Amino acid sequence: MAQQQETRAGSADVAEGGFVDDVTDAAAREEAHTARGTARPLTVVGNPVLHRECAQVTEFGDDLAALVDDMFASQRAAEGVGIAANQIGVDAKVFVYDCYDDEGVRHVGVVCNPVLDELPAERRVLDDGNEGCLSVPGAYHPLARPDYAVVRGQDAQGRSITVEGTGYFARCLQHETDHLHGYLYIDRLSKRERKDVLRQMAESTPRYETVPNA
């Protein structure tokens, strides 16, 4: 997921209440992943890998750890706040994030095989803030999403985790989970809105390397 146009100023452990602690040592953990990884070119809208559901992660070994490191390196190079494996061309249900919430708290982590909780009606408060995507470079559009999200999945070692997000971080969790099920945020827009986003993309120059579509 791309940063908003106006930016808000080791493994994580499970915190009290069952939610993962993705806050403690966030900067150090992101730095370690990025130092080990190599930034890869990003896929853009139209690439087939972005438009189909990704494969479940079933092996939690060195190959996955290396992929996660490369994803963090790619995310930093593109100045993003979240990135899914298919955005670097890999067919696997895993995303990483380095995202601040609306209170300015930094969250860093990785989720494999994510599933979003269905929110009860009383928790569905919509936020219609701007959204952008590293696979739709240079374009932004408002999109209403719940301002609270809970994602369940596994960490890079295969342990069950639950991640809770509010505000901008909730948007990030929903955006990245969508990616792994073959949806970009523009798929949730009207035809007219989608056309506007694609126009913005066509008129912009990506800040990072992308994979040309065949």
Side-chain angles (χ1 to χ4, degrees), residues 28-182:
R29 289 186 287 108
E30 188 276 339
E31 180 64 39
H33 282 299
T34 300
R36 293 189 298 262
T38 300
R40 304 192 199 179
L42 300 190
T43 55
V44 297
V45 58
N47 189 305
V49 74
L50 293 173
H51 302 283
R52 60 174 182 259
E53 185 170 357
C54 292
Q56 289 281 114
V57 174
T58 58
E59 299 291 333
F60 297 86
D62 291 344
D63 288 346
L64 177 62
L67 171 62
V68 167
D69 290 342
D70 285 357
M71 290 170 68
F72 272 105
S74 302
Q75 176 178 257
R76 183 190 284 190
E79 300 179 4
V81 298
I83 194 168
N86 52 356
Q87 292 184 273
I88 58 169
V90 178
D91 181 12
K93 278 187 178 173
V94 53
F95 72 79
V96 305
Y97 58 88
D98 179 5
C99 186
Y100 288 85
D101 61 27
D102 288 0
E103 284 68 52
V105 177
R106 186 178 183 180
H107 300 262
V108 170
V110 52
V111 184
C112 301
N113 305 320
V115 177
L116 275 169
D117 275 9
E118 187 71 29
L119 295 180
E122 62 270 18
R123 293 306 302 265
R124 289 185 60 84
V125 178
L126 295 181
D127 170 15
D128 61 357
N130 255 4
E131 193 157 327
C133 180
L134 298 177
S135 292
V136 192
Y140 297 86
H141 201 283
L143 176 64
R145 289 192 190 265
D147 69 353
Y148 175 74
V150 173
V151 172
R152 302 180 192 275
Q154 295 162 283
D155 66 12
Q157 289 74 46
R159 298 172 297 196
S160 295
I161 56 172
T162 305
V163 184
E164 178 185 42
T166 60
Y168 188 49
F169 181 41
R171 180 177 295 276
C172 176
L173 293 175
Q174 294 168 82
H175 180 108
E176 301 308 331
T177 300
D178 270 358
H179 266 303
L180 299 178
H181 289 85

